């Protein structure tokens, strides 16, 4: 449940950041910076929702065919770690860039995005396949 709580916390931060950007920063940032802020909020929400889904999926679907329960759970944990770290790195750097951080920080942003992509790929690998 700790990861569910982490996901819910990320969602809360994402919604608060989005609202702050739309209302508190509207007059302080230019349109490009506001777009960056909105992107960072949205991707943080995606990461949070994914962490919450992983927690529910692990309790309801068991493990993927051909995998032991331990290996499936291990892959879900890896996906959680990648999504959490990726969401924080991606959104954190984009928030910072929106607020005027040095442009070189933008070189770090793809590491977060890559971690999120990897997290979703690992998650797809860890989940059971239905044979309809």
């Amino acid at each position: 449940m700790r990861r569910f709580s982490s996901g819910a916390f990320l969602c809360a931060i994402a919604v608060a950041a989005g609202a702050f950007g739309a209302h508190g920063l509207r007059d302080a940032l230019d349109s490009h910076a506001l777009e960056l802020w909105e992107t960072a909020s949205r991707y943080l929400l995606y990461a949070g929702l994914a962490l919450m889904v992983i927690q529910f999926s692990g309790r309801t679907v068991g493990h993927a065919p051909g995998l032991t329960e331990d290996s499936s759970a291990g892959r879900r944990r890896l996906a959680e770690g990648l999504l959490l770290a990726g969401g924080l790195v991606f959104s954190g750097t984009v928030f910072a860039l929106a607020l005027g951080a040095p442009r070189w920080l933008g070189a770090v942003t793809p590491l977060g995005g890559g971690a999120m992509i990897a997290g979703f790929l690992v998650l797809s690998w860890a989940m059971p396949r239905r044979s309809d």
Side-chain angles (χ1 to χ4, degrees), residues 5 13 18-19 30 52 64 76 84 99 114 122:
S5 297
I13 296 299
D30 63 27
M52 293 166 56
R76 284 194 306 268
L84 178 61
L99 295 175
V122 170

Side-chain angles (χ1 to χ4, degrees), residues 10 19 28 31 37 40-41 47 50 53-54 67 70 80 83 92 97-98 100 110 119 122:
L10 288 185
S31 63
W37 191 271
S41 299
V53 166
I54 292 169
L67 296 177
D70 287 342
E80 289 170 342
L83 286 161
L97 290 167
V122 170

Side-chain angles (χ1 to χ4, degrees), residues 56-83:
F56 280 121
S57 68
R59 287 172 173 53
T60 60
V61 297
H63 58 278
L67 296 177
T68 66
E69 190 170 343
D70 287 342
S71 64
S72 187
R75 289 176 184 172
R76 284 194 306 268
R77 281 192 301 278
L78 176 59
E80 289 170 342
L82 288 166
L83 286 161

Side-chain angles (χ1 to χ4, degrees), residues 8-25 37-38 40-42 44-45 95:
F9 184 73
L10 288 185
C11 289
I13 296 299
V15 171
F20 179 65
H23 302 288
L25 297 176
W37 191 271
E38 193 275 329
S41 299
R42 187 171 6 106
L44 191 60
L45 184 67
F95 281 135

Side-chain angles (χ1 to χ4, degrees), residues 76-128:
R76 284 194 306 268
R77 281 192 301 278
L78 176 59
E80 289 170 342
L82 288 166
L83 286 161
L84 178 61
L88 292 173
V89 170
F90 179 86
S91 293
T93 57
V94 175
F95 281 135
L97 290 167
L99 295 175
R103 290 183 53 101
W104 64 262
L105 191 59
V108 178
T109 304
L111 297 175
M116 286 183 69
I117 292 167
F120 281 113
L121 290 173
V122 170
L123 180 59
S124 73
W125 183 36
M127 291 292 112

